[in-house]
Amino acid sequence: MSYTTDILLEVIRLAQETKPFATIRRGALPPDNGICMEIATGAPETTFMDRRSVLGLSLVLNGKHRDLAAVSDALNTIHHALTRMKEYPITEAWQILNISTTSVPHQISREADGQWLFGSSLDVKFFERR
């Protein structure tokens, strides 16, 4: 598995610890009341002489629910928890340095079936350790 996939899965695991209304899944949103997270973009920010790098990884975090407060609260709680962590995960291969909000949870639309669609994004900085 690639570093970026490992990082995504680890951030999903951390976000799931906030106990949102649904299990966070990769990829597209499920048809009803769900939350998803996926990689949007990413690139090296600093490359060292030994070719290791500090990278930025942009993740989208989207959700939808028939209850506006439920989806808004869930995404805001996830953002708050992830960006306020004092220690981030570290493995032999990589180390998360920081997670920050790049787009706060906001309403995108309301679907025909009455579900509120919210979007947001996070920036994950990590260091390639090998």
Side-chain angles (χ1 to χ4, degrees), residues 18 20-21 35 61 69-79:
T18 67
F21 62 83
I35 300 174
L61 173 64
V71 67
S72 176
D73 290 349
L75 268 56
N76 277 295
T77 298
I78 291 168
H79 275 261

mmCIF file of all heavy atoms in Angstrom, residues 18 20-21 35 61 69-79:
data_model
loop_
_atom_site.group_PDB
_atom_site.id
_atom_site.type_symbol
_atom_site.label_atom_id
_atom_site.label_comp_id
_atom_site.label_asym_id
_atom_site.label_seq_id
_atom_site.Cartn_x
_atom_site.Cartn_y
_atom_site.Cartn_z
ATOM 1 N N THR A 18 -14.446 9.828 16.719
ATOM 2 C CA THR A 18 -15.395 10.849 17.189
ATOM 3 C C THR A 18 -16.821 10.303 17.249
ATOM 4 O O THR A 18 -17.727 11.001 17.678
ATOM 5 C CB THR A 18 -15.370 12.106 16.297
ATOM 6 O OG1 THR A 18 -15.874 11.786 14.991
ATOM 7 C CG2 THR A 18 -13.965 12.695 16.201
ATOM 8 N N PRO A 20 -19.153 9.429 14.731
ATOM 9 C CA PRO A 20 -20.176 10.112 13.927
ATOM 10 C C PRO A 20 -21.390 9.208 13.698
ATOM 11 O O PRO A 20 -21.368 8.026 14.061
ATOM 12 C CB PRO A 20 -19.447 10.408 12.618
ATOM 13 C CG PRO A 20 -18.386 9.363 12.536
ATOM 14 C CD PRO A 20 -17.974 9.069 13.952
ATOM 15 N N PHE A 21 -22.428 9.753 13.075
ATOM 16 C CA PHE A 21 -23.678 9.022 12.875
ATOM 17 C C PHE A 21 -23.550 7.836 11.922
ATOM 18 O O PHE A 21 -24.445 6.995 11.851
ATOM 19 C CB PHE A 21 -24.787 9.963 12.391
ATOM 20 C CG PHE A 21 -24.504 10.609 11.055
ATOM 21 C CD1 PHE A 21 -24.776 9.951 9.864
ATOM 22 C CD2 PHE A 21 -23.966 11.895 10.995
ATOM 23 C CE1 PHE A 21 -24.504 10.532 8.641
ATOM 24 C CE2 PHE A 21 -23.707 12.489 9.778
ATOM 25 C CZ PHE A 21 -23.981 11.804 8.602
ATOM 26 N N ILE A 35 -21.063 9.389 5.458
ATOM 27 C CA ILE A 35 -19.869 10.240 5.490
ATOM 28 C C ILE A 35 -18.781 9.522 4.693
ATOM 29 O O ILE A 35 -18.614 8.308 4.804
ATOM 30 C CB ILE A 35 -19.380 10.462 6.938
ATOM 31 C CG1 ILE A 35 -20.464 11.145 7.786
ATOM 32 C CG2 ILE A 35 -18.100 11.293 6.950
ATOM 33 C CD1 ILE A 35 -20.110 11.253 9.253
ATOM 34 N N LEU A 61 -13.685 15.633 2.970
ATOM 35 C CA LEU A 61 -14.551 14.992 3.950
ATOM 36 C C LEU A 61 -15.959 15.487 3.671
ATOM 37 O O LEU A 61 -16.243 16.677 3.844
ATOM 38 C CB LEU A 61 -14.116 15.356 5.369
ATOM 39 C CG LEU A 61 -15.020 14.896 6.506
ATOM 40 C CD1 LEU A 61 -15.083 13.367 6.576
ATOM 41 C CD2 LEU A 61 -14.542 15.469 7.836
ATOM 42 N N ALA A 69 -28.582 19.407 11.236
ATOM 43 C CA ALA A 69 -27.703 19.500 12.405
ATOM 44 C C ALA A 69 -26.821 18.259 12.539
ATOM 45 O O ALA A 69 -25.659 18.367 12.942
ATOM 46 C CB ALA A 69 -28.529 19.710 13.670
ATOM 47 N N ALA A 70 -27.356 17.094 12.212
ATOM 48 C CA ALA A 70 -26.579 15.849 12.356
ATOM 49 C C ALA A 70 -25.341 15.864 11.476
ATOM 50 O O ALA A 70 -24.235 15.550 11.935
ATOM 51 C CB ALA A 70 -27.446 14.635 12.025
ATOM 52 N N VAL A 71 -25.488 16.235 10.210
ATOM 53 C CA VAL A 71 -24.336 16.230 9.298
ATOM 54 C C VAL A 71 -23.379 17.366 9.619
ATOM 55 O O VAL A 71 -22.163 17.184 9.627
ATOM 56 C CB VAL A 71 -24.778 16.227 7.813
ATOM 57 C CG1 VAL A 71 -25.462 17.506 7.422
ATOM 58 C CG2 VAL A 71 -23.601 15.944 6.896
ATOM 59 N N SER A 72 -23.908 18.531 9.926
ATOM 60 C CA SER A 72 -23.057 19.668 10.268
ATOM 61 C C SER A 72 -22.253 19.385 11.538
ATOM 62 O O SER A 72 -21.036 19.592 11.573
ATOM 63 C CB SER A 72 -23.916 20.919 10.454
ATOM 64 O OG SER A 72 -23.127 22.010 10.863
ATOM 65 N N ASP A 73 -22.926 18.894 12.571
ATOM 66 C CA ASP A 73 -22.245 18.601 13.833
ATOM 67 C C ASP A 73 -21.191 17.509 13.666
ATOM 68 O O ASP A 73 -20.100 17.608 14.221
ATOM 69 C CB ASP A 73 -23.249 18.184 14.908
ATOM 70 C CG ASP A 73 -24.123 19.337 15.374
ATOM 71 O OD1 ASP A 73 -23.832 20.505 15.035
ATOM 72 O OD2 ASP A 73 -25.124 19.057 16.077
ATOM 73 N N ALA A 74 -21.508 16.463 12.903
ATOM 74 C CA ALA A 74 -20.559 15.363 12.717
ATOM 75 C C ALA A 74 -19.284 15.842 12.044
ATOM 76 O O ALA A 74 -18.170 15.554 12.518
ATOM 77 C CB ALA A 74 -21.199 14.241 11.908
ATOM 78 N N LEU A 75 -19.413 16.578 10.951
ATOM 79 C CA LEU A 75 -18.225 17.034 10.237
ATOM 80 C C LEU A 75 -17.438 18.047 11.062
ATOM 81 O O LEU A 75 -16.207 17.998 11.107
ATOM 82 C CB LEU A 75 -18.593 17.605 8.862
ATOM 83 C CG LEU A 75 -18.558 16.599 7.705
ATOM 84 C CD1 LEU A 75 -19.439 15.397 7.939
ATOM 85 C CD2 LEU A 75 -18.868 17.265 6.395
ATOM 86 N N ASN A 76 -18.128 18.955 11.732
ATOM 87 C CA ASN A 76 -17.428 19.923 12.579
ATOM 88 C C ASN A 76 -16.709 19.250 13.738
ATOM 89 O O ASN A 76 -15.599 19.652 14.094
ATOM 90 C CB ASN A 76 -18.401 20.998 13.077
ATOM 91 C CG ASN A 76 -18.608 22.084 12.055
ATOM 92 O OD1 ASN A 76 -17.689 22.819 11.725
ATOM 93 N ND2 ASN A 76 -19.813 22.178 11.519
ATOM 94 N N THR A 77 -17.313 18.237 14.325
ATOM 95 C CA THR A 77 -16.679 17.494 15.414
ATOM 96 C C THR A 77 -15.415 16.790 14.918
ATOM 97 O O THR A 77 -14.379 16.791 15.595
ATOM 98 C CB THR A 77 -17.661 16.474 16.024
ATOM 99 O OG1 THR A 77 -18.767 17.202 16.580
ATOM 100 C CG2 THR A 77 -17.006 15.628 17.104
ATOM 101 N N ILE A 78 -15.485 16.200 13.739
ATOM 102 C CA ILE A 78 -14.308 15.537 13.155
ATOM 103 C C ILE A 78 -13.191 16.544 12.927
ATOM 104 O O ILE A 78 -12.033 16.313 13.317
ATOM 105 C CB ILE A 78 -14.686 14.804 11.850
ATOM 106 C CG1 ILE A 78 -15.581 13.591 12.164
ATOM 107 C CG2 ILE A 78 -13.426 14.376 11.080
ATOM 108 C CD1 ILE A 78 -16.239 12.974 10.950
ATOM 109 N N HIS A 79 -13.518 17.670 12.304
ATOM 110 C CA HIS A 79 -12.495 18.706 12.071
ATOM 111 C C HIS A 79 -11.872 19.160 13.383
ATOM 112 O O HIS A 79 -10.643 19.285 13.492
ATOM 113 C CB HIS A 79 -13.099 19.905 11.330
ATOM 114 C CG HIS A 79 -13.120 19.750 9.860
ATOM 115 N ND1 HIS A 79 -12.176 20.317 9.040
ATOM 116 C CD2 HIS A 79 -13.974 19.096 9.039
ATOM 117 C CE1 HIS A 79 -12.438 20.024 7.784
ATOM 118 N NE2 HIS A 79 -13.531 19.276 7.757
#
